[in-house]
Amino acid sequence: MAVVSHWLTRYVVAAILVMIAFFSRHALMHIIGGELTPFITFFPIVMVVALVLGLGPGIFASAIAAMMSAYYIFPPVGQLRYGETSYIYNIIVFIGMSMLMCLFAWLYERIRLRVSHLEAEHAADKVRRENLEGLVNDRTAELEEKNRKLVEEIAERERTEAEKRKVEAQLAQTQRIEALDRFAGGIAHDLNNILYPIIIDLEGLLEDEPKGTARSDILDQILKAAYRQRDLVKKILSFSRRSEQVLEPVHFRVLLEDAINFLRSSLPRTIEIQLHINTQSDVVMGDPVQIQQIIINLCQNAADAYASQKGTIEIRLANTHIQPLYAYQGMRAGDYLKLTVKDTGTGMKPEVMARVFEPFFTTKGIGKGTGMGLSIVHGIVKGHGGAVTVESEEGKGSLFTVYLPVWHESEYQRQVYHGESAPQVKGSEKILLVDDEEFIISSLKRTLASSGYRVVALTDGHEALKEFRDHPDEFDLVIADLTMPGMTGIELARKILEIRSDIPFILSTGYNNIISRQEAESFGIRELLLKPTGAQELRNAVRSALETRY
Ligand SMILES: Nc1ncnc2c1ncn2[C@@H]1O[C@H](COP(=O)(O)OP(=O)(O)OP(=O)(O)O)[C@@H](O)[C@H]1O
Ligand SMILES: [Mg+2]
């Protein structure tokens, strides 16, 4: 341990310490006699110097000590007698021992240095290890955070994928339904055109036939079959959204409660209906009959899902707002009423769920279900500018959600004039009748003529316009078909109303070129006649159009 740093100082200090030892020894000799070993004070000093000041100063100190004791102990040079060699021997022993002590001190110093070096290294290692541990901890935390983010990202991606699959399935379903919709609409169009004259003529024949005859019974049977056919076509039309709708502002809540009362009495007693209403505004622009049909069809299905077991149908009505981003199935963003019908019945397999809105799709036995229930719901809801969705799991139950746009008063501008008194069904006025289908023309003409009207029947719009232009004041009413080649009923109406704005005009329409009452009224058209009408309906419409004054 080189406590004193400069080498020269160390040697000087060593020399001074040896001097002190020398004088101490001298003093001791006077006190305790000269028989003591001559190096008694030198040994500890050499030891201390070697240990404290280093190997060099140690050797140096032992050399001076040897010299001084030799000088002090030896008789003066020249007085040393032959044989007095024990002094020399003592000094050699002293030097040898001093050297050993120095060596021992040196070794001790080396070991001490080595130990402290190892300790320092150990401490540095410890610090490094601690730093490393900190680093590892930081890195682990960082990795864990990254891992968590990755898991979240994967979950998010899976959610997006699932959402995408759902939207794609919905799109495919919508496309399939729309294709069926066009197909059904087309069939219904042809069926109605065939049914129209059949019903009118049968009614005419039946009116002329005395009651109770076998002939009148047969005619009655055929007419009933035709009516059934008409009802079926109506169902198809409800699905394809081409049926005539009477849209008016209605309180959904009232319709819902009415429908539930009806269902409570008609469904089996084992089915409990729970109703939860939580709405601020429940007015929708809708057809009350159709809206109740939605509720009844959904609840009937939910009840069927319990297959004569006990069960609960949970119905909820609430307001919701659809954001542009979430607007699906052609819904616009805005305020909606949200009706949910939930059951915990059989539920559906995914392949069944994908087809539920298709017309004639049913899993119920023959005679138990027509498969039209949900397709009608779909058609009605779409016709009201809404959407319907389904969620279901086999064995767990199903949830149907219907969205209908909430009606705000500012949107309502329509004003409909209703006749003051019930119209008379007979008359003698002159009617211009236009339809491109010959057999329809002849049936209508016969029916109207039998009620006393004078009818000019034509199959072409241009011809009809010419006829009217030539004799504008002769006619009291015009009945025209909407779809005609050459000139449509609307074009004809516009031109005829230009000639005479007060002439009552009835537009007869099929469902696949639906025009709303509002639209028709905006053209000045008084009545819309939806084919196939019965004879009585036709007569009523004619009288109503003739007697309504604006
Ligand atoms: N709540 C429901 N739970 C389980 N399956 C349902 C549910 N609603 C509808 N379905 C399934 O969807 C099919 C079609 O339903 P939809 O109402 O269109 O016709 P239907 O009930 O079979 O016949 P209909 O309504 O004419 O009596 C049903 O046959 C049934 O398989
Ligand atoms: Mg059903």
Side-chain angles (χ1 to χ4, degrees):
M1 188 204 323
V3 193
V4 185
S5 58
H6 196 267
W7 68 272
L8 190 61
T9 324
R10 275 190 273 145
Y11 283 87
V12 172
V13 171
I16 292 168
L17 286 173
V18 173
M19 294 300 286
I20 292 169
F22 175 75
F23 287 119
S24 312
R25 191 216 178 264
H26 195 68
L28 279 175
M29 284 291 288
H30 282 289
I31 298 162
I32 50 176
E35 290 313 308
L36 270 173
T37 168
F39 307 109
I40 188 152
T41 53
F42 291 130
F43 276 124
I45 283 300
V46 170
M47 186 73 159
V48 168
V49 169
L51 277 174
V52 177
L53 298 176
L55 182 64
I59 294 170
F60 177 63
S62 61
I64 303 174
M67 272 168 54
M68 289 189 79
S69 29
Y71 178 78
Y72 177 73
I73 295 161
F74 286 170
V77 182
Q79 290 179 17
L80 190 68
R81 288 181 303 269
Y82 183 77
E84 285 180 321
T85 51
S86 62
Y87 295 117
I88 296 167
Y89 172 74
N90 273 348
I91 285 178
I92 288 169
V93 169
F94 168 72
I95 289 173
M97 286 188 62
S98 297
M99 285 306 118
L100 272 176
M101 277 189 312
C102 286
L103 195 67
F104 169 74
W106 179 76
L107 277 176
Y108 169 76
E109 180 63 15
R110 297 284 306 183
I111 290 168
R112 208 186 48 76
L113 275 176
R114 184 81 196 125
V115 168
S116 68
H117 181 72
L118 284 176
E119 272 174 0
E121 258 184 14
H122 181 72
D125 261 2
K126 199 174 160 200
V127 169
R128 257 201 306 279
R129 227 184 4 256
E130 275 170 6
N131 283 349
L132 201 67
E133 257 172 40
L135 214 66
V136 168
N137 285 346
D138 287 354
R139 191 86 188 107
T140 310
E142 218 174 274
L143 283 175
E144 276 172 357
E145 177 64 15
K146 278 193 180 153
N147 202 28
R148 195 182 55 75
K149 278 194 183 143
L150 202 67
V151 169
E152 264 174 25
E153 255 173 46
I154 291 172
E156 178 62 30
R157 198 164 299 167
E158 278 172 358
R159 266 199 300 279
T160 317
E161 281 292 318
E163 189 64 25
K164 195 173 142 219
R165 277 197 298 276
K166 205 168 141 188
V167 170
E168 279 171 356
Q170 263 181 6
L171 192 70
Q173 193 186 43
T174 308
Q175 282 168 348
R176 210 169 42 236
I177 289 172
E178 267 163 17
L180 279 164
D181 179 27
R182 281 193 296 279
F183 174 69
I187 290 185
H189 173 80
D190 290 344
L191 285 179
N192 269 349
N193 267 350
I194 297 164
L195 271 177
Y196 195 17
I198 294 177
I199 289 176
I200 282 196
D201 285 343
L202 277 173
E203 282 178 352
L205 283 176
L206 207 60
E207 274 169 18
D208 296 342
E209 195 64 30
K211 293 249 173 303
T213 64
R215 215 176 121 87
S216 81
D217 284 351
I218 293 168
L219 284 175
D220 195 45
Q221 284 299 314
I222 303 173
L223 192 59
K224 278 190 182 132
Y227 284 152
R228 273 187 31 220
Q229 174 90 348
R230 184 170 67 174
D231 290 344
L232 183 65
V233 174
K234 256 194 196 151
K235 273 193 175 180
I236 299 175
L237 291 178
S238 303
F239 156 64
S240 68
R241 285 173 274 143
R242 281 155 183 167
S243 59
E244 171 68 321
Q245 287 176 326
V246 187
L247 297 185
E248 56 186 308
V250 287
H251 278 284
F252 196 98
R253 184 196 178 114
V254 177
L255 296 175
L256 178 61
E257 281 165 350
D258 269 4
I260 303 290
N261 284 341
F262 164 75
L263 283 162
R264 282 206 171 106
S265 61
S266 64
L267 291 179
R269 285 186 181 280
T270 47
I271 302 291
E272 191 202 333
I273 300 182
Q274 282 178 3
L275 184 59
H276 307 273
I277 297 181
N278 177 19
T279 51
Q280 286 83 48
S281 43
D282 72 325
V283 180
V284 295
M285 188 54 133
D287 179 328
V289 176
Q290 291 193 335
I291 285 176
Q292 288 195 323
Q293 207 175 350
I294 299 176
I295 301 160
I296 290 168
N297 286 5
L298 291 179
C299 290
Q300 184 64 55
N301 282 348
D304 290 349
Y306 286 113
S308 352
Q309 306 275 309
K310 258 178 91 146
T312 305
I313 304 176
E314 195 182 295
I315 303 171
R316 286 178 188 275
L317 185 68
N319 285 112
T320 186
H321 188 83
I322 302 281
Q323 306 286 351
L325 206 63
Y326 295 100
Y328 47 97
Q329 290 191 14
M331 281 200 291
R332 291 190 196 152
D335 293 328
Y336 281 80
L337 260 191
K338 181 177 173 188
L339 170 81
T340 53
V341 177
K342 184 177 164 196
D343 66 72
T344 51
T346 55
M348 290 174 248
K349 289 193 180 115
E351 56 269 29
V352 170
M353 203 169 79
R355 299 190 58 193
V356 283
F357 296 115
E358 287 178 18
F360 303 112
F361 174 79
T362 179
T363 56
K364 297 169 188 169
I366 296 168
K368 288 194 181 149
T370 63
M372 284 303 287
L374 286 177
S375 54
I376 289 174
V377 169
H378 186 270
I380 294 174
V381 170
K382 294 296 269 180
H384 283 71
V388 51
T389 63
V390 54
E391 287 161 53
S392 185
E393 205 175 316
E394 199 183 9
K396 295 219 168 140
S398 311
L399 174 77
F400 282 86
T401 308
V402 171
Y403 297 92
L404 290 176
V406 168
W407 178 78
H408 298 291
E409 196 147 1
S410 55
E411 295 163 17
Y412 189 59
Q413 287 142 10
R414 192 178 151 218
Q415 282 181 0
V416 190
Y417 178 86
H418 295 290
E420 277 140 31
S421 56
Q424 297 297 310
V425 287
K426 291 212 170 221
S428 57
E429 285 89 345
K430 186 164 178 183
I431 298 172
L432 177 60
L433 179 66
V434 201
D435 198 309
D436 59 316
E437 304 259 15
E438 290 273 8
F439 59 103
I440 290 181
I441 281 270
S442 62
S443 294
L444 293 188
K445 193 174 172 185
R446 213 173 15 251
T447 307
L448 291 169
S450 72
S451 301
Y453 296 105
R454 292 166 291 140
V455 182
V456 175
L458 296 168
T459 52
D460 182 83
H462 292 285
E463 243 180 84
L465 184 61
K466 186 173 175 303
E467 178 69 27
F468 190 80
R469 196 171 273 138
D470 292 346
H471 319 279
D473 296 322
E474 270 186 24
F475 291 102
D476 300 297
L477 172 72
V478 182
I479 303 176
D481 185 30
L482 175 64
T483 0
M484 291 184 294
M487 186 183 285
T488 68
I490 298 251
E491 280 168 356
L492 182 65
R494 198 180 293 128
K495 293 206 166 123
I496 284 186
L497 288 163
E498 268 170 25
I499 301 168
R500 237 189 86 187
S501 62
D502 67 325
I503 180 90
F505 201 108
I506 295 179
L507 194 65
S508 86
T509 87
Y511 39 79
N512 62 342
N513 29 43
I514 187 78
I515 158 173
S516 70
R517 254 184 216 290
Q518 293 102 301
E519 256 181 287
E521 277 165 14
S522 73
F523 287 117
I525 290 163
R526 289 208 192 158
E527 285 288 333
L528 269 184
L529 213 55
L530 194 78
K531 296 188 209 173
T533 31
Q536 195 54 34
E537 221 178 309
L538 175 68
R539 288 185 198 117
N540 288 344
V542 166
R543 274 299 352 131
S544 157
L546 283 168
E547 287 177 16
T548 304
R549 294 279 170 266
Y550 284 83

